[in-house]
């Protein structure tokens, strides 16, 4: 008998394979979550410090006086959660997951093409991580969330429009009415939604020419007429030219920086392409499985490469942010640990914060030059000014609260009020004894989510000056305020003004004199140095003279013979290092080295001395 041939059932596709694109999207969001937490933790902290959301009806009404006000109100509310970085990033990634779901629903993106939904997420991520120093100058409130929320609203409009019955006047009428209602809430994103609804209706229409024409007419009418109508009737405080770009960031300081608009342009283009061609993705198997997998892989690779390329990763920028966070937490040792690792030339903001930490720990006169010196320009096309970056903080900690208050006030008017500014303005009022002013700012901060407890803790200092003078945070500041208060101008050059203040203003406080000595070394002026040095020496007869002050006195005594230094008790190490430096410098000169070559050659042996600072550190850029 012939054996029966075994029949094999046709191979069935593995059920879970169709969910692979969904798993890829989840993995991509997880990677974004981890990347933000590991590389941008200090940026997230600073963003919430430069944010302000008050739980008051007045604050809500203030946001709603411009188109897109609801987005900024929600954006500032969500930004508060960056106070706890993991929580804030979770909220942000959750918003992106919601946007992906709404996009898929609005444009009927099939599951097998879910990887395409990562395109807007990658572009939105870039709008957050490519800013750099824009965080100090950008006027759009709640920037990290505004675009995401605006696109969510736009996709919801498109989804609602798609669900309407085809033909007739339903869709053109919906385009007009929805834009009229939503535009005051979401600004330019409502106009984008009108365009997307029209394009989707046209691309999917299967009737006469009128069914394709009227949605376009309605969209054009909505985009042109609704902003004009809103300007005439509601938003007269907004300039007419800004009505079509409401709720979008403005990248302009002195001149326009148009390259930062590129992610927004690509976002609009990506959604326009979805509106025009997404329905074709549903028409059977467009590509064979192998080619489909290759296309998805290529999309992922392009998104990953583009995100890495556009991610702002300047080391000095992130170091400045970390040092500011340590300064806010009064962790001076942590700040110095951060300053000790300096592979690149530091900016002056880094140097100033580092010297502040050394002065608080009483080590500036001995170790000020043990850290890398420099004055590297900020890695950005923006005209960065230290007064916006860290100048107001520096003024406050060095006992100049009026100048701190002035810059907080000017920046608040120019760029919008922020929690950080209110906190410093409250501190300035506290140390100045201005109880009513301080209470005003503390009461405002009580309406925030995470700064209310800090505001409550500060209230005790409004009436208890003894507790204020003994507080480890306020006490050094009060000591440095022992000078004649007078009106002047810093000409927006923070460091230079600060150093001249310490050598020109009179004070009887020893802590002030310590800063006068450091300022005298910074100025490298022999005539200024000696009076400050002798005053310091008379007040510190029982403690050793700091090493760098000895080095400066020994050097200046040899450069000019106006002061007899033969009887001064210099440390033998100071004399030996001076002789060695002069001998090494003479050898370099005989070899014909340039100044830059001498800097590199002598740094290992003498980079920690004032001699090296005096002769080889020149032309430092101040800003």
């Amino acid at each position: 008998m012939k054996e029966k041939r075994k029949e094999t059932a046709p191979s069935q596709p593995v059920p879970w394979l169709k969910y692979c694109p969904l798993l890829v999207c989840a993995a991509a969001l997880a990677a974004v979550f981890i990347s933000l937490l590991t590389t941008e933790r200090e940026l997230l902290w600073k963003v919430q410090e430069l944010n302000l959301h008050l739980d008051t009806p007045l604050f809500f009404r203030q946001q709603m006086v411009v188109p897109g006000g609801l987005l900024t109100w929600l954006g500032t509310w969500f930004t508060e959660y960056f106070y706890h970085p993991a929580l804030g990033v979770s909220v942000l990634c959750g918003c992106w997951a919601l946007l992906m779901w709404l996009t898929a629903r609005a444009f009927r993106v099939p599951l097998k093409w879910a990887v395409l939904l990562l395109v807007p997420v990658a572009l939105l991520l870039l709008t957050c991580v490519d800013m750099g120093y824009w965080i100090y100058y950008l006027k759009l409130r709640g920037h990290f969330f505004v675009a995401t929320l605006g696109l969510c609203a736009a996709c919801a409009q498109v989804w609602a429009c798609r669900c309407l019955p085809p033909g007739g006047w339903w869709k053109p009428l919906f385009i007009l009415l929805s834009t009229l209602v939503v535009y005051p809430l979401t600004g330019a994103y409502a106009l984008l939604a009108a365009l997307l609804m029209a394009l989707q209706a046209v691309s999917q229409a299967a009737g006469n020419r009128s069914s394709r024409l009227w949605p376009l007419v309605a969209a054009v009418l909505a985009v042109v007429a609704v902003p004009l109508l809103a300007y005439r009737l509601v938003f007269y405080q907004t300039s007419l030219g800004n009505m079509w770009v409401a709720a979008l960031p403005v990248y302009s300081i002195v001149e326009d920086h148009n390259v930062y608009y590129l992610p927004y342009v690509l976002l609009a283009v990506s959604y326009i392409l979805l509106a025009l061609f997404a329905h074709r993705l549903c028409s059977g198997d467009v590509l064979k499985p192998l080619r489909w997998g290759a296309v998805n892989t290529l999309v992922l690779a392009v998104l990953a490469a583009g995100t890495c390329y556009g991610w702002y990763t300047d080391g000095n920028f992130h170091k400045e942010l970390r040092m500011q966070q340590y300064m806010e937490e009064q962790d001076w040792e942590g700040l110095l640990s951060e300053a000790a690792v300096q592979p690149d030339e530091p900016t002056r903001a880094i140097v100033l914060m580092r010297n502040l930490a050394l002065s608080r720990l009483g080590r500036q006169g001995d170790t000020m030059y043990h850290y890398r010196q420099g004055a590297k320009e900020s890695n950005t096309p923006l005209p960065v000014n230290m007064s916006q970056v860290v100048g107001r903080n520096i003024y406050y900690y060095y006992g100049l609260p009026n100048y701190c208050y002035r810059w907080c006030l000017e920046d608040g008017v120019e760029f919008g009020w922020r929690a950080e500014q209110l906190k410093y303005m409250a501190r300035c009022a506290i140390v100045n004894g201005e109880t009513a002013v301080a209470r005003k700012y503390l009461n405002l901060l009580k309406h925030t989510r995470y700064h209310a407890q800090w505001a409550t803790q500060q209230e005790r200092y409004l009436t208890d000056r003894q507790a204020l003078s003994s507080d480890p945070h306020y006490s050094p500041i009060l000591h440095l305020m022992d000078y004649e208060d007078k009106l002047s101008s810093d000409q927006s050059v923070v460091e230079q003004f600060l150093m001249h203040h310490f050598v020109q203003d009179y004070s009887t406080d020893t802590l002030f004199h310590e800063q006068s000595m450091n300022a005298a070394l910074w100025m490298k002026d022999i005539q200024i140095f000696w009076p400050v040095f002798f005053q310091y020496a008379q007040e510190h007869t029982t403690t050793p003279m700091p090493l760098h002050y000895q080095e400066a006195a020994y050097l200046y005594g040899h450069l000019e013979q106006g002061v007899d230094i033969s009887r001064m008790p210099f440390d033998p190490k100071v004399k030996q290092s001076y002789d060695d430096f002069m001998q090494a410098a003479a050898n370099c000169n005989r070899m014909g080295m340039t100044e830059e070559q001498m800097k590199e050659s002598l740094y290992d042996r003498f980079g920690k001395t004032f001699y090296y600072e005096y002769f080889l550190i020149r032309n430092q850029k101040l800003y």
Side-chain angles (χ1 to χ4, degrees):
M1 294 178 62
K2 294 182 179 180
E3 295 183 1
K4 293 183 178 180
R5 184 175 298 174
K6 294 183 179 180
E7 296 181 359
T8 58
S11 59
Q12 299 291 332
V14 182
W16 60 267
L17 283 178
K18 66 179 182 179
Y19 295 106
C20 281
L22 196 61
L23 296 175
V24 170
C25 292
L29 283 179
V32 169
F33 177 87
I34 295 172
S35 298
L36 286 174
L37 281 185
T38 54
T39 64
E40 301 293 348
R41 182 176 290 269
E42 60 277 359
L43 174 65
L44 301 176
W45 169 82
K46 190 63 179 181
V47 165
Q48 65 83 27
E49 285 287 306
L50 298 177
N51 177 69
L52 183 66
H53 181 91
L54 305 178
D55 59 359
T56 62
L58 177 60
F59 181 79
F60 178 78
R61 291 196 298 269
Q62 288 175 332
Q63 306 312 304
M64 300 304 293
V65 299
V66 296
L70 182 62
L71 294 182
T72 59
W73 186 83
L74 289 172
T76 55
W77 182 58
F78 284 128
T79 302
E80 285 188 304
Y81 290 108
F82 285 136
Y83 187 87
H84 301 293
L87 177 60
V89 175
S90 298
V91 173
L92 184 59
C93 290
C95 290
W96 285 337
L98 174 63
L99 175 62
M100 294 170 66
W101 181 76
L102 288 171
T103 302
R105 287 290 185 177
F107 301 100
R108 298 183 63 188
V109 178
L111 185 60
K112 66 181 297 182
W113 291 106
V115 172
L116 296 178
L117 303 175
L118 290 173
V119 173
V121 172
L123 293 171
L124 288 168
L125 174 63
L126 279 181
T127 65
C128 298
V129 298
D130 73 339
M131 292 193 300
Y133 287 90
W134 275 112
I135 63 173
Y136 300 106
Y137 299 96
L138 205 59
K139 297 181 181 181
L140 180 65
R141 300 165 184 257
H143 169 81
F144 265 56
F145 288 92
V146 164
T148 299
L149 298 174
L151 289 174
C152 285
C155 289
Q157 285 179 258
V158 176
W159 184 13
C161 184
R162 184 179 63 80
C163 294
L164 294 174
W169 293 91
W170 290 106
K171 291 189 176 182
L173 189 61
F174 181 83
I175 291 173
L176 279 173
L177 293 180
S178 65
T179 305
L180 186 64
V181 172
V182 179
Y183 173 78
L185 306 178
T186 64
Y189 297 97
L191 305 181
L192 175 64
L195 177 62
L196 296 177
M197 288 186 285
L199 292 177
Q200 187 181 63
V202 169
S203 66
Q204 298 180 6
N208 55 26
R209 183 177 298 178
S210 63
S211 64
R212 297 174 180 268
L213 178 62
W214 289 116
L216 282 177
V217 172
V220 172
L221 185 60
V223 170
V224 174
V226 169
L228 285 174
L229 186 64
Y231 173 73
R232 295 297 181 185
L233 300 180
V234 184
F235 302 116
Y236 49 84
Q237 295 180 349
T238 304
S239 64
L240 181 59
N242 290 331
M243 295 299 291
W244 283 269
V245 293
L248 293 175
V250 177
Y251 294 108
S252 178
I253 303 178
V254 181
E255 61 182 14
D256 295 332
H257 299 273
N258 295 323
V259 68
Y260 291 95
Y261 291 109
L262 182 60
Y264 292 91
V265 174
L266 294 178
L267 272 171
V269 170
S270 65
Y271 275 99
I272 289 172
L273 292 176
L274 281 175
L276 290 173
F277 304 111
H279 66 284
R280 298 187 180 182
L281 300 176
C282 302
S283 57
D285 292 329
V286 180
L287 299 174
K288 293 181 179 180
L290 186 60
R291 295 171 61 191
W292 163 78
V295 171
N296 278 274
T297 303
L298 178 62
V299 170
L300 283 175
V302 170
L303 292 179
T307 303
C308 292
Y309 177 78
W311 200 305
Y312 185 77
T313 56
D314 180 57
N316 278 341
F317 171 72
H318 288 82
K319 187 175 290 291
E320 288 176 5
L321 295 180
R322 286 191 292 270
M323 294 174 77
Q324 287 183 56
Q325 187 171 7
Y326 283 125
M327 184 165 55
E328 180 67 20
E329 297 169 354
Q330 303 290 292
D331 185 358
W332 305 116
E333 290 289 357
L335 194 155
L336 289 180
S337 298
E338 182 65 36
V341 183
Q342 184 67 52
D344 194 9
E345 180 186 356
T347 62
R348 293 310 298 172
I350 291 175
V351 174
L352 275 177
M353 287 188 281
R354 182 191 70 209
N355 288 342
L356 172 63
L358 289 171
S359 69
R360 284 294 188 268
L361 297 172
R363 304 206 295 260
Q364 188 170 2
D366 288 308
T367 61
M368 180 167 48
Y369 301 122
H370 289 199
Y371 300 83
R372 186 168 181 177
Q373 307 297 312
K376 187 174 182 179
E377 293 189 32
S378 300
N379 182 22
T380 177
L382 309 183
V384 171
N385 194 307
M386 189 185 293
S387 58
Q388 273 82 42
V389 177
V390 73
R392 54 181 172 268
N393 317 45
I394 292 294
Y395 276 143
Y396 170 74
Y397 281 105
Y398 275 117
L400 290 166
N402 292 340
Y403 291 89
C404 172
Y405 188 94
R406 171 241 171 150
W407 279 111
C408 287
L409 188 63
E410 290 194 10
D411 289 347
V413 172
E414 178 68 20
F415 305 109
W417 296 105
R418 301 158 175 178
E420 182 184 67
Q421 293 166 350
L422 295 182
K423 289 166 71 174
Y424 273 99
M425 293 171 84
R427 287 164 169 162
C428 292
I430 289 173
V431 297
N432 280 331
E434 299 166 340
T435 303
V437 177
R439 196 178 299 279
K440 176 178 68 174
Y441 297 122
L442 294 178
N443 287 338
L444 284 173
L445 289 167
K446 286 182 180 180
H447 290 283
T448 62
R449 182 182 301 274
Y450 293 112
H451 303 292
Q453 183 179 0
W454 178 89
T456 302
Q457 293 172 347
Q458 301 304 305
E459 285 186 317
R460 62 176 296 217
Y461 300 117
L462 299 180
T463 55
D464 191 348
R465 299 296 293 184
Q466 184 175 357
L468 181 72
S469 60
S470 60
D471 183 85
H473 169 80
Y474 287 110
S475 178
I477 297 169
L478 293 174
H479 277 279
L480 292 173
M481 290 174 61
D482 179 37
Y483 58 86
E484 182 183 358
D485 196 6
K486 56 187 177 181
L487 182 63
S488 183
S489 173
D490 62 359
Q491 301 297 318
S492 300
V493 185
V494 174
E495 186 176 10
Q496 179 175 306
F497 177 81
L498 187 66
M499 297 305 165
H500 281 84
H501 158 70
F502 279 122
V503 297
Q504 292 175 355
D505 289 344
Y506 175 76
S507 174
T508 59
D509 192 273
T510 56
L511 188 57
F512 189 98
H513 295 159
E514 182 83 28
Q515 298 308 316
S516 299
M517 275 299 307
N518 296 316
L521 265 62
W522 179 89
M523 299 181 76
K524 300 181 182 179
D525 189 314
I526 299 178
Q527 304 306 318
I528 290 176
F529 171 80
W530 285 120
V532 177
F533 176 79
F534 288 132
Q535 182 183 36
Y536 182 89
Q538 292 173 1
E539 294 173 349
H540 296 78
T541 56
T542 60
T543 57
M545 178 68 68
L547 188 65
H548 295 320
Y549 305 164
Q550 292 190 51
E551 291 172 343
Y554 196 72
L555 172 64
Y556 289 155
H558 284 80
L559 292 180
E560 292 189 5
Q561 304 301 321
V563 175
D564 183 12
I565 63 171
S566 60
R567 297 184 180 181
M568 293 183 183
F570 290 104
D571 190 309
K573 293 186 296 185
V574 171
K575 298 180 180 180
Q576 186 62 49
S577 62
Y578 171 81
D579 294 337
D580 293 343
F581 177 85
M582 290 302 180
Q583 181 63 41
N587 293 337
C588 290
N589 286 327
R590 283 194 294 270
M591 296 170 61
M593 287 188 179
T594 64
E595 189 169 296
E596 287 299 319
Q597 292 173 329
M598 291 177 64
K599 286 174 65 175
E600 184 176 352
S601 175
L602 299 178
Y603 181 78
D604 290 338
R605 291 181 62 192
F606 305 105
K608 297 180 180 180
T609 67
F610 177 72
Y611 316 127
Y612 185 93
E613 171 77 12
Y614 182 82
F615 288 107
L616 297 176
I617 303 297
R618 303 174 183 272
N619 302 321
Q620 302 215 24
K621 180 177 175 57
L622 305 178
Y623 60 99

